[in-house]
């Protein structure tokens, strides 16, 4: 079941909407554009997962604290305090991408064909994610694997080459592409 369809069913229940502040997704796709499309669709559904926003006409809000001998004791609190109190329930939901990767192989559908292809996919995906981070309320993005796996390990077909470092510890083209992106976007160079 696609993630956006699954989330769409869940958010129909208002109690569910109030039970989380963020959601994560693994937008695996054969292409970068496909992965970005999955993220956009998921974000659209996530944007619907907002609880009722509390609106007040005045700057002061009357809050009934308790009744005492038939009279109501009323305490006034500022609008800012009320807004802070309810902000966690009314804020838009944050998005985390907790797994994303393309292998450097050409033998699987999730392989980019080469180390250069993997580096290009990483650069295109991360650049688009960085550019849309605020609009998508994107908090973190995690690459699936730091290091390639040896052939003796049993895992998914493209996982053997999805790392940014070879089995022997040398950096692949994707490693250096990530280093360039990190320098560009953190240092502005």
């Amino acid at each position: 079941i696609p993630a956006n369809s699954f989330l769409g069913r869940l958010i129909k229940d208002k109690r569910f909407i109030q039970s989380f502040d963020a959601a994560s997704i693994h937008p695996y796709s054969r292409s970068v554009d496909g992965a970005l499309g999955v993220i956009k669709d998921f974000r659209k559904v996530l944007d619907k997962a907002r609880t009722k926003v509390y609106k007040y006409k005045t700057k002061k809000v009357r809050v009934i604290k308790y009744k005492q001998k038939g009279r109501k004791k009323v305490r006034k609190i500022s609008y800012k305090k009320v807004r802070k109190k309810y902000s966690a329930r009314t804020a838009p939901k944050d998005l985390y991408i907790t797994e994303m990767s393309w292998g450097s192989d050409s033998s699987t559908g999730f392989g980019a064909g080469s180390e250069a292809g993997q580096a290009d996919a990483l650069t295109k995906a991360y650049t688009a994610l960085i550019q849309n981070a605020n609009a998508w309320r994107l908090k973190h993005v995690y690459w699936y694997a730091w290091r390639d796996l040896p052939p003796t390990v049993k895992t998914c077909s493209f996982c053997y080459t999805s790392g940014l470092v070879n089995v022997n510890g040398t950096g692949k083209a994707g490693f250096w592409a990530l280093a360039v992106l990190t320098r560009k976007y953190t240092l502005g160079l």
Side-chain angles (χ1 to χ4, degrees):
I1 183 170
N4 57 338
S5 300
F6 180 72
L7 181 62
R9 290 180 192 171
L10 288 174
I11 64 169
K12 289 179 182 176
D13 183 348
K14 300 298 180 195
R15 294 171 298 176
F16 176 77
I17 292 172
Q18 294 178 0
S19 71
F20 73 102
D21 298 321
S24 72
I25 187 171
H26 300 174
Y28 282 104
S29 178
R30 295 180 186 275
S31 68
V32 173
D33 291 335
L36 294 173
V38 169
I39 296 165
K40 286 177 194 173
D41 291 346
F42 191 76
R43 180 73 253 177
K44 285 178 188 174
V45 175
L46 199 56
D47 285 339
K48 294 177 186 174
R50 292 184 69 173
T51 56
K52 181 179 177 184
V53 177
Y54 296 89
K55 293 182 181 176
Y56 300 99
K57 292 181 181 178
T58 61
K59 295 255 179 184
K60 297 286 182 183
V61 178
R62 293 178 59 139
V63 177
I64 298 169
K65 194 170 182 181
Y66 57 88
K67 291 183 179 182
Q68 182 181 10
K69 294 184 183 177
R71 292 185 353 203
K72 294 179 181 177
K73 278 256 185 180
V74 176
R75 180 174 67 121
K76 289 186 177 184
I77 59 174
S78 72
Y79 170 74
K80 286 182 182 179
K81 286 183 181 177
V82 171
R83 197 171 74 196
K84 280 183 183 177
K85 182 177 178 183
Y86 292 106
S87 65
R89 294 192 321 181
T90 61
K93 310 298 184 183
D94 293 332
L95 177 61
Y96 292 79
I97 297 175
T98 51
E99 253 184 49
M100 181 177 223
S101 184
W102 288 272
S104 58
D105 66 311
S106 59
S107 61
T108 66
F110 291 103
S114 65
E115 287 188 19
Q118 182 188 39
D120 289 343
L122 181 145
T123 301
K124 185 178 177 183
Y126 273 56
T127 300
L129 294 171
I130 290 166
Q131 290 171 348
N132 291 293
N134 289 335
W136 293 346
R137 296 189 57 85
L138 186 59
K139 297 300 176 189
H140 294 284
V141 178
Y142 298 96
W143 191 259
Y144 170 70
W146 178 246
R147 181 180 278 199
D148 285 348
L149 295 172
T152 56
V153 175
K154 291 188 179 185
T155 187
C156 69
S157 59
F158 84 97
C159 295
Y160 292 105
T161 63
S162 62
L164 301 178
V165 175
N166 285 310
V167 174
N168 65 9
T170 58
K172 293 165 50 176
F175 172 84
W176 300 110
L178 183 60
V180 168
L181 283 172
T182 302
R183 183 177 175 142
K184 178 180 177 181
Y185 288 104
T186 58
L187 300 177
L189 302 174

